[in-house]
Amino acid sequence: NLTSKGKLYWLIYLCQTLKTSEILPPNYIAFRRDRGDFRGGVIIIIKNEFYASEVIKAKDCEVLAIKVQCQSKAIVVAVCYRPPSNNIMDIQNICSQIQIIQNKFKNHPIWIGGDLNLPDIDWSDNSIKSHQYLKKVNETFLETIDLCHFDQMVDFPTRKNNTLDILLSNRPTLL
């Protein structure tokens, strides 16, 4: 556990040995893509009253997507994580998965959330404002969301003065 300013936080690292039933109440289900190093991963948690199925679980990056049936329509919900590094392959793999999701589910509303650790991007005009990471890392992501016609919905800092957490949507009016 972690303590910050008198508050207690629990940090749970996803790993194959940690069962979902150990971290969630029984009326929730989890779709997981655990990291191979036992230090994390991505997870989507949903109440079991919804019908959901896993549609993407990337092998080479932390991307996971599910399809959720909502009344007469289905939506696709995805999550992704990019470690803070200049490894261009990390962002290329994530962008490849985003394109796969967009191509496979063109007629569905899509929401993609996650932590991409891209503090150099100014989301007010989708420009690169600084150079903490390689320009190509930022350009690759911006080109992908433009190509896939996604809007970035988070327009405020999520960590200090940076917007590191994203919520992309191909149908922003549904949010």
Side-chain angles (χ1 to χ4, degrees):
N1 65 39
L2 304 172
T3 308
S4 173
K5 297 181 184 176
K7 296 179 182 175
L8 184 65
Y9 297 93
W10 290 96
L11 183 61
I12 299 173
Y13 286 113
L14 296 178
C15 64
Q16 291 89 352
T17 59
L18 183 65
K19 296 177 184 167
T20 300
S21 61
E22 295 178 278
I23 58 172
L24 292 179
N27 56 333
Y28 288 86
I29 55 174
F31 297 90
R32 300 168 47 167
R33 197 265 182 213
D34 298 332
R35 194 180 300 162
D37 62 6
F38 300 105
R39 295 191 56 225
V42 291
I43 188 169
I44 300 174
I45 299 168
I46 188 167
K47 280 192 159 190
N48 63 5
E49 64 192 57
F50 296 101
Y51 176 75
S53 59
E54 184 178 279
V55 292
I56 301 279
K57 183 188 269 186
K59 292 184 180 9
D60 54 1
C61 61
E62 292 183 62
V63 175
L64 174 68
I66 65 171
K67 188 168 143 182
V68 182
Q69 191 63 40
C70 297
Q71 297 170 348
S72 63
K73 285 199 160 220
I75 65 169
V76 175
V77 177
V79 63
C80 54
Y81 173 75
R82 185 190 77 86
S85 76
N86 272 317
N87 184 343
I88 191 70
M89 287 301 295
D90 288 340
I91 198 68
Q92 287 173 336
N93 290 337
I94 289 169
C95 288
S96 173
Q97 292 299 314
I98 289 172
Q99 290 175 18
I100 289 168
I101 292 167
Q102 191 271 339
N103 287 329
K104 190 173 181 178
F105 298 101
K106 285 182 181 188
N107 297 322
H108 293 78
I110 301 170
W111 298 343
I112 302 173
D115 179 356
L116 290 182
N117 289 301
L118 295 172
D120 301 329
I121 297 177
D122 179 347
W123 292 108
S124 67
D125 62 0
N126 288 356
S127 66
I128 300 167
K129 65 178 181 179
S130 59
H131 304 286
Q132 182 173 338
Y133 295 107
L134 292 174
K135 186 177 181 185
K136 187 68 177 163
V137 168
N138 295 287
E139 286 175 338
T140 300
F141 188 70
L142 287 173
E143 289 166 5
T144 299
I145 64 170
D146 184 52
L147 176 71
C148 294
H149 307 288
F150 283 115
D151 290 320
Q152 209 296 70
M153 306 306 296
V154 181
D155 60 359
F156 55 88
T158 58
R159 213 160 312 141
K160 296 185 181 175
N161 292 328
N162 301 309
T163 303
L164 304 183
D165 303 304
I166 55 116
L167 178 60
L168 303 175
S169 178
N170 63 343
R171 310 262 176 85
T173 58
L174 293 179
L175 298 177

